[in-house]
Amino acid sequence: VHLRTAVADDEIEYQETAGHLCTIRYPIPGTDDAVLVSTTRPETMLGDTAVAVHPDDPRFKHLIGKTVTLPLTGREIPIVGDAILVDPEFGTGCVKVTPAHDPNDYQTGLRHNLPMINLMNPDGTYNENAGLYEGLDRREVRKRVVSDLEAGGLLARVEPYTNRVGLSDRSKTPIEPYLSDQWFVRMGDEPDGSAGFAQKAMDAVTSGAMKIHPERYAKSYLDWLGEKRDWCISRQLWWGHRIPIWYARCPEAELKRAFAGRDDVTWRLDEENGQWLVCALDDLPADALGDKYPLTQDPDVLDTWFSSALWPHSTLGWPEPTPELEYYYPTNVLVTSRDIITLWVARMVITGLYNLGQVPFADVYIHPKILDGFGETMSKMKGNGIDPLDIIERYGTDALRFTMVYLATETQDSRMPVANVCPHCGTLVPVKQEHMSMRTRKVTCPNCKKPFRPGGPWPAPDAELTTAKQASDKFDMGRNFANKIWNAARFLLLNLEGYTPAAIHLDGLPPEDRWILSRLSSVTQAVTGQLEAFRFSEAARSVYEFTWSEFCDWYVEMSKGRLRNPDTRPLAQRMLAGLLDAILRLAAPIMPFVAESIWQALNEAAFERGLPGPEPATESVVIAPWPAFPVEWQDPVRERRTELMKDLVKAVREIRAHYQVDSRTKLNVFVRCRAETALHLEGAAPLLELLEGAHLADDGCGPDTRKPPQSAAHVHPDFEVYVSLAGLIDVPAEIKRLEKQRGDKSKALQGTRAKLENVNFRDKAPPEVVQQQRAAVADLEKQLHVIEENLRELRQDVQ
RNA sequence: GGGCGCUUAGCUCAGCUGGCUAGAGCACCAGCUCGACACGCUGGGGGUCACAGGUUCGAAUCCUGUAGCGCCCACCA
């Protein structure tokens, strides 16, 4: 495929290609001598207009100013000295110069005022300048040139050579550099020295008018713009915005007459071609100047990035001063990928500043990328992409979105191993590397042995093979979380009968309410900060953690008893409704669909709700105000108290699980602790009852509690728990349990002691850190002591 | 060649300004169909934080180097 268009440097991709390096003799007239030049593109020698050597190269210095005869053409071309083009160490030290067909040679040509001979037609065939080779395709010319040189004894040698060939991104055919007229946008500064396009776009970032997050990406933006390379914006393609230039050959008076009073039309003279270049905002009809002087529009179209650069304002109705443009421009945040910071972002800034005088957005957030399972960027070409629709169908939209946000960390790209879902039996068949790049058209299911086509971007359906859908268990997390929220909401909705709205008063609240409000206030504050700082992954983690591990795992469980008691039920309902309301608002940006559907259901059951006081709910969660709660609700002491109770419950659970005691069997629990801790654990008895089916007697918690016979122990920094297991206790197993606890604790003790024994640590570390370590040692020693005691008793039991 | 980033549990990733026994999800093991949820609950196993130096009382965290990987840019007649 030949696209026959100009391409930008950034549309070229290089590929290592095995080719040949030909060394050709260029005879020096009047002598038997010749200079040797090497090239990977021998056919371009027809357009050589010089041979260059390094000006300081002793081997060739004396030749500068002389000429050589260009083989096959007989043209005499000069030998020039050029320190930029020539590396004397490389090859023969002599370089053929083909200004019309190589960018470096072009620059060399300009430096030495060399003629530029364009050999090629736009279709890649050679033109009349190629003499005998006219009309032949470039590849054919290469063959002929080589054999003709060989026949003439002018081909010194041909060696195998691997070089990097520039291929078009789009067509994957080799780029042929050649001279053509193109349209450029000048990026450099104005002739008077004032800032040009590139500089203005740089200033937008250095002045802080536009911030790039994470900050390090500002560097690629500034570095690239700093080169101020002119932007070639014309393309010889069919699809695209046409270049708004019309050509006319007429007296200027005609233009003045036809466009009198129009400030959207300008023109200037193209002296080289003796015509007017007319530029207009709106399309000009061919007969705008009358039949005598037809206007013809330039056939080229704009670079797609030029059109894209207009996106932030052209989508809002520009150039008309629409209300939308007025209201939305400049926008707030652009979210995009790092590889188009230059191609797209920089150019949006340039056109935004030029057309509207303001940057198009205040913040640019660059997200990490999802890579394929092998760590490579996904691309259509490679065929290693994943179809979001497959994921949505299998896991849900919110699952997709949540997982993506969860993975949007600050630096780390994320690999996404993908599996094909066997269309016959549903087995997940992991994608292997050899399935990539469309090489594998057919995979056999290891389970049902039937064939299918792996999922991916296939150009057309396959009549014989069903194409598999794609899956990736990375989305389990999002799906499970959506489901968790859904079920928590269901629980609440089933328990809202008789709900009455009323304000919450902090003072009368039970400890678990104080705790969850403290957590809610902290978490809401954290999520708000994380979103503002573009730390999306952290925000997702905060919402997930709070909702699942705190609200569902503990608060909802704790509320079950209260909902059964008519005295405590109304408050529990208000708390739960208010909490769910807050969770939905926090989750809405990340899981909009689940949040919205629950919001609607909640509006039916508890229209007026909220913390601390009830308010009528908004019609939709998307217009609900972002939540914020009093900082005074944050109460470290209450949080600590709840943590202690949770630890107590967990200790009992651990024992129950270890002895595999049926959950319906009631356990008797005894706690030995300091009086102060006992105070903190005051509310623990009902929780143990509710959550663990465990009984803690009124006098079972305090400094005087004694270890009951036949019991299992768990030693916590703040308390010792004993669970009576008369008839169930397995003494050797219990010894093993305690020995493991002892192992863990003494390992920690060792580490901490070692630190304290270090004089330098005691002298140089901050006192509070030293103090903390001392306390830790004391705690651990005490715990170990208790464990030892328990072990001794158990060993006596055995004997 | 220049720049940026990464390397932590079997897999995919957290770990912000250095300081409790390094965390999560999935996977794995054991036990749970008790009134939101088996897409679940409970308990558990699993890590020389790539490697080598250095700074520090103390390093997954800071510095230097090495190796591997990814991306962007430049470019080899």
Side-chain angles (χ1 to χ4, degrees):
Chain A
V1 186
H2 315 304
L3 297 177
R4 301 185 196 182
T5 176
V7 294
D9 288 344
D10 31 52
E11 290 172 284
I12 300 173
E13 70 181 37
Y14 290 90
Q15 204 173 71
E16 293 280 329
T17 311
H20 301 280
L21 186 67
C22 302
T23 303
I24 311 169
R25 302 169 62 87
Y26 286 11
I28 302 171
T31 69
D32 293 337
D33 246 358
V35 295
L36 295 171
V37 299
S38 297
T39 178
T40 53
R41 292 186 301 152
E43 70 280 11
T44 62
M45 56 95 43
L46 299 169
D48 285 1
T49 54
V51 168
V53 298
H54 196 278
D56 301 330
D57 192 330
R59 293 174 294 174
F60 308 115
K61 217 171 162 176
H62 64 283
L63 294 174
I64 295 173
K66 306 237 165 60
T67 60
V68 294
T69 308
L70 187 64
L72 309 182
T73 67
R75 269 193 289 122
E76 281 199 19
I77 57 176
I79 296 173
V80 299
D82 195 288
I84 298 174
L85 182 70
V86 183
D87 171 8
E89 306 291 316
F90 189 91
T92 62
C94 304
V95 186
K96 61 193 271 312
V97 184
T98 322
H101 295 285
D102 181 281
N104 289 316
D105 291 4
Y106 177 74
Q107 294 300 330
T108 310
L110 293 179
R111 285 194 291 274
H112 298 276
N113 259 322
L114 299 172
M116 308 204 177
I117 301 175
N118 190 357
L119 296 167
M120 238 181 279
N121 296 311
D123 63 359
T125 59
Y126 270 47
N127 62 25
E128 67 281 5
N129 292 330
L132 292 171
Y133 304 93
E134 182 181 356
L136 299 175
D137 181 80
R138 63 201 188 285
R139 280 168 288 201
E140 186 59 25
V141 177
R142 176 174 298 184
K143 283 185 209 155
R144 299 251 185 126
V145 164
V146 171
S147 62
D148 290 350
L149 285 169
E150 198 167 13
L154 293 164
L155 191 61
R157 56 180 177 269
V158 178
E159 309 150 88
Y161 188 77
T162 304
N163 77 332
R164 301 186 53 200
V165 174
L167 302 179
S168 157
D169 249 356
R170 216 178 286 267
S171 69
K172 304 301 163 191
T173 47
I175 301 289
E176 298 292 343
Y178 98 122
L179 292 182
S180 58
D181 287 329
Q182 302 292 338
W183 291 96
F184 286 83
V185 172
R186 185 171 69 228
M187 301 295 282
D189 294 337
E190 300 299 324
D192 67 3
S194 62
F197 282 155
Q199 188 59 50
K200 282 181 182 163
M202 292 167 77
D203 293 345
V205 165
T206 47
S207 72
M210 186 179 90
K211 291 197 188 67
I212 299 179
H213 315 266
E215 225 180 314
R216 74 190 125 90
Y217 289 114
K219 189 175 152 51
S220 18
Y221 175 93
L222 292 172
D223 284 356
W224 183 80
L225 281 171
E227 292 189 29
K228 303 186 179 177
R229 287 158 71 122
D230 290 338
W231 175 14
C232 175
I233 55 164
S234 48
R235 296 290 184 276
Q236 292 72 50
L237 302 170
W238 280 106
W239 301 105
H241 292 146
R242 285 185 75 177
I243 296 211
I245 294 285
W246 286 260
Y247 302 107
R249 291 171 194 278
C250 64
E252 189 173 11
E254 292 295 329
L255 295 168
K256 285 187 175 153
R257 185 186 51 77
F259 303 122
R262 287 186 62 171
D263 56 5
D264 62 328
V265 182
T266 58
W267 56 85
R268 63 191 268 187
L269 188 62
D270 168 12
E271 289 177 29
E272 199 179 321
N273 298 303
Q275 59 186 349
W276 292 101
L277 306 177
V278 184
C279 181
L281 277 182
D282 288 319
D283 281 353
L284 297 176
D287 60 358
L289 301 173
D291 295 341
K292 202 173 162 196
Y293 304 111
L295 273 176
T296 51
Q297 188 171 3
D298 190 297
D300 289 358
V301 299
L302 290 164
D303 174 16
T304 163
W305 291 112
F306 188 97
S307 305
S308 305
L310 305 174
W311 182 83
H313 52 277
S314 66
T315 52
L316 298 175
W318 181 89
E320 301 306 320
T322 62
E324 290 80 9
L325 188 64
E326 177 66 25
Y327 182 83
Y328 289 109
Y329 193 94
T331 65
N332 297 329
V333 184
L334 173 78
V335 177
T336 193
S337 177
R338 68 175 102 87
D339 35 15
I340 49 178
I341 292 173
T342 54
L343 290 175
W344 194 35
V345 180
R347 272 126 182 207
M348 285 193 279
V349 175
I350 288 168
T351 64
L353 286 170
Y354 182 74
N355 287 332
L356 294 151
Q358 277 182 292
V359 289
F361 16 72
D363 293 285
V364 176
Y365 170 68
I366 306 295
H367 56 71
K369 296 214 281 190
I370 303 297
L371 310 174
D372 70 13
F374 311 99
E376 289 182 42
T377 309
M378 291 182 176
S379 79
K380 274 190 229 163
M381 267 308 295
K382 286 190 214 157
N384 60 348
I386 181 164
D387 188 341
L389 294 177
D390 284 0
I391 298 302
I392 288 170
E393 187 179 300
R394 188 178 176 89
Y395 303 91
T397 2
D398 283 350
L400 173 70
R401 188 187 291 231
F402 179 85
T403 305
M404 298 307 270
V405 174
Y406 187 86
L407 293 174
T409 59
E410 191 158 336
T411 51
Q412 179 68 62
D413 288 344
S414 192
R415 291 179 184 215
M416 179 72 64
V418 175
N420 286 299
V421 185
C422 171
H424 312 290
C425 71
T427 302
L428 292 186
V429 186
V431 170
K432 298 192 188 123
Q433 197 128 33
E434 63 260 30
H435 294 157
M436 310 300 256
S437 307
M438 299 196 183
R439 270 174 295 179
T440 305
R441 298 189 63 92
K442 186 166 131 182
V443 171
T444 304
C445 173
N447 180 44
C448 69
K449 312 293 179 203
K450 290 184 191 157
F452 60 83
R453 184 166 72 164
W458 296 99
D462 188 312
E464 282 154 34
L465 283 178
T466 318
T467 305
K469 302 270 186 189
Q470 297 172 310
S472 174
D473 60 16
K474 295 298 145 213
F475 297 100
D476 283 353
M477 175 178 246
R479 180 198 55 186
N480 295 353
F481 184 43
N483 194 248
K484 189 72 181 179
I485 298 184
W486 182 261
N487 277 303
R490 208 165 69 127
F491 165 78
L492 174 57
L493 292 167
L494 290 171
N495 281 288
L496 277 182
E497 208 185 295
Y499 171 83
T500 51
I504 304 284
H505 299 290
L506 221 52
D507 288 341
L509 291 181
E512 61 263 39
D513 288 354
R514 293 293 294 266
W515 163 72
I516 198 73
L517 290 180
S518 174
R519 297 298 308 135
L520 177 65
S521 170
S522 310
V523 169
T524 304
Q525 193 179 25
V527 173
T528 307
Q530 285 153 346
L531 291 178
E532 279 169 355
F534 300 94
R535 295 172 172 270
F536 298 123
S537 172
E538 287 176 29
R541 282 164 211 264
S542 297
V543 174
Y544 180 95
E545 185 67 21
F546 176 72
T547 305
W548 198 314
S549 309
E550 304 197 282
F551 180 68
C552 290
D553 285 355
W554 290 97
Y555 189 80
V556 168
E557 291 307 319
M558 289 171 178
S559 75
K560 285 180 178 170
R562 297 165 66 191
L563 286 168
R564 279 184 225 123
N565 180 338
D567 295 337
T568 50
R569 183 177 165 92
L571 175 61
Q573 287 176 325
R574 285 169 207 144
M575 283 293 299
L576 284 165
L579 285 160
L580 183 62
D581 177 278
I583 287 170
L584 294 177
R585 295 191 213 201
L586 290 171
I590 313 175
M591 314 190 89
F593 293 98
V594 173
E596 182 64 26
S597 27
I598 299 173
W599 187 266
Q600 294 306 327
L602 198 54
N603 280 2
E604 300 279 313
F607 182 67
E608 289 185 32
R609 58 179 186 264
L611 297 168
E615 279 172 28
T618 52
E619 202 182 329
S620 157
V621 70
V622 297
I623 51 169
W626 183 250
F629 300 98
V631 190
E632 302 84 68
W633 286 6
Q634 296 172 29
D635 186 340
V637 177
R638 308 245 177 201
E639 288 196 15
R640 165 106 187 98
R641 191 174 291 183
T642 306
E643 287 310 315
L644 269 182
M645 292 200 258
K646 281 161 69 175
D647 285 350
L648 178 57
V649 170
K650 284 195 230 171
V652 176
R653 269 182 195 160
E654 192 257 314
I655 292 168
R656 188 194 284 278
H658 190 85
Y659 284 99
Q660 303 200 350
V661 181
D662 188 276
S663 61
R664 274 159 299 202
T665 306
K666 196 135 184 167
L667 295 173
N668 278 308
V669 174
F670 303 86
V671 177
R672 180 158 68 200
C673 61
R674 293 183 302 154
E676 191 194 331
T677 312
L679 228 55
H680 282 320
L681 289 173
E682 224 169 4
L687 282 184
L688 279 169
E689 197 78 48
L690 176 70
L691 303 179
E692 260 316 290
H695 179 70
L696 177 64
D698 286 346
D699 57 353
C701 180
D704 305 325
T705 306
R706 299 191 59 92
K707 179 184 188 236
Q710 302 243 344
S711 62
H714 182 99
V715 180
H716 182 273
D718 292 290
F719 52 77
E720 299 149 36
V721 194
Y722 299 103
V723 176
S724 176
L725 289 173
L728 289 167
I729 188 94
D730 172 346
V731 175
E734 181 63 9
I735 289 176
K736 260 180 110 174
R737 262 191 75 241
L738 286 177
E739 276 173 347
K740 174 161 171 21
Q741 286 186 42
R742 181 176 66 181
D744 292 348
K745 307 242 185 215
S746 60
K747 199 176 133 202
L749 181 60
Q750 254 176 15
T752 318
R753 267 194 187 142
K755 265 189 203 169
L756 280 166
E757 277 159 19
N758 185 337
V759 189
N760 288 324
F761 174 72
R762 295 201 305 263
D763 291 352
K764 297 191 182 174
E768 64 271 19
V769 174
V770 178
Q771 188 44 46
Q772 193 188 2
Q773 295 297 307
R774 286 220 166 94
V777 166
D779 269 355
L780 285 165
E781 280 173 342
K782 198 187 79 194
Q783 293 170 48
L784 275 165
H785 178 72
V786 172
I787 291 171
E788 288 294 354
E789 239 173 39
N790 282 326
L791 276 168
R792 200 164 42 241
E793 277 179 42
L794 283 166
R795 293 204 173 102
Q796 278 168 3
D797 286 355
V798 179
Q799 285 154 9

